Amino acid sequence: MKLLNSLGPNPRMVRMFMAEKGISLPLVDLDLLGGENRRPPYTDKNPSGQIPSLELDDGKVIAETVAICEYLEELHPQPPLVGSTPEQRAETRMWTRRIELNITEYMYAGFRFAEGLGLFENRIRCLPDAAAGMKTKAHDGQEWLDPMLAGKQFICGDRLTVADLVLYCCVDFCASVGQPIDPALKNFNAWYQRMDARPSAQQTLATNWKELGMRV
Ligand SMILES: N[C@@H](CCC(=O)N[C@@H](CS)C(=O)NCC(=O)O)C(=O)O
């Protein structure tokens, strides 16, 4: 089994999940900036043309970060980052979906339609006029989340989960490319600082991120 990997917050999220669990897998690096992910043979494996993917020993390919993490959790249940009871798993999935639908998808679209336009305009349909609105929607989602983080270590209370990793990797990246964290969101900022201090966050950050100008 190997992880098809590259620069970027989504591959970083899976690597951070693996680091938290102590899972080590061979990494195969693809040239995202050069568009290797948008042509065969990669698109024969993952037709969405996005990275990461997990290639199993029998050649099957699992794509989508959260699906990859769920699969890895089934193979390596400890420490649980989805959950060890039906209730915990449901709570994690509820929050992961809320985070993706209300925050991270808007943040990524805001980036792709603005600062990332040069990279994305020939890959996907980009709507530059919508960029500011996407960022506003992302901010609305963060503002909605902020009071619910009060008094909590993590999104699911005292349990670190994949929902935290999805949000952290996106926020950390986007803050470095034009979507700074609003200082008014006190709980959100404190949560971000706690996540950023984790060894897994530091271990998965590209050593040349400053040179690249983005936290990937
Ligand atoms: N929904 C996908 C998103 C993956 C994604 O957006 N990956 C980015 C890297 S962070 C990518 O492949 N970007 C290059 C491209 O889209 O061409 C997932 O969860 O795996």
Side-chain angles (χ1 to χ4, degrees), residues 61-74:
V61 174
I62 313 283
E64 296 299 324
T65 46
V66 176
I68 293 171
C69 291
E70 291 255 6
Y71 177 77
L72 293 176
E73 173 118 341
E74 292 204 32

Side-chain angles (χ1 to χ4, degrees), residues 9-10 50 98-117 120 124 126-127 130-143 145 155 163-182 185 188-189 191-192 215:
N10 284 285
Q50 292 180 311
R98 286 174 174 168
I99 296 296
E100 290 187 313
L101 291 177
N102 297 331
I103 304 180
T104 60
E105 281 303 316
Y106 288 122
M107 294 184 80
Y108 286 132
F111 167 71
R112 289 175 185 139
F113 298 171
E115 294 82 1
L117 191 60
F120 283 97
I124 57 169
C126 289
L127 305 170
M134 294 291 119
K135 293 178 183 181
T136 303
K137 285 288 290 176
H139 185 268
D140 286 351
Q142 293 174 12
E143 224 169 20
L145 178 64
I155 294 167
D164 297 287
L165 305 185
V166 168
L167 186 59
Y168 167 76
C169 290
C170 176
V171 167
D172 193 46
F173 168 70
C174 288
S176 69
V177 289
Q179 296 182 63
I181 307 176
D182 179 353
L185 304 179
F188 187 64
N189 270 278
W191 166 88
Y192 168 80
R215 305 260 300 172

Side-chain angles (χ1 to χ4, degrees), residues 19-32:
E20 289 285 347
K21 279 188 173 278
I23 300 172
S24 146
L25 286 177
L27 303 181
V28 178
D29 289 320
L30 284 107
D31 177 12
L32 177 144

Side-chain angles (χ1 to χ4, degrees), residues 55-104:
E55 189 167 346
L56 308 188
D57 292 342
D58 66 0
K60 281 199 187 71
V61 174
I62 313 283
E64 296 299 324
T65 46
V66 176
I68 293 171
C69 291
E70 291 255 6
Y71 177 77
L72 293 176
E73 173 118 341
E74 292 204 32
L75 299 184
H76 303 270
Q78 296 301 326
L81 294 176
V82 180
S84 49
T85 65
E87 289 76 15
Q88 285 186 352
R89 289 192 285 275
E91 186 191 31
T92 303
R93 290 168 184 149
M94 171 182 80
W95 274 110
T96 303
R97 193 159 167 76
R98 286 174 174 168
I99 296 296
E100 290 187 313
L101 291 177
N102 297 331
I103 304 180
T104 60

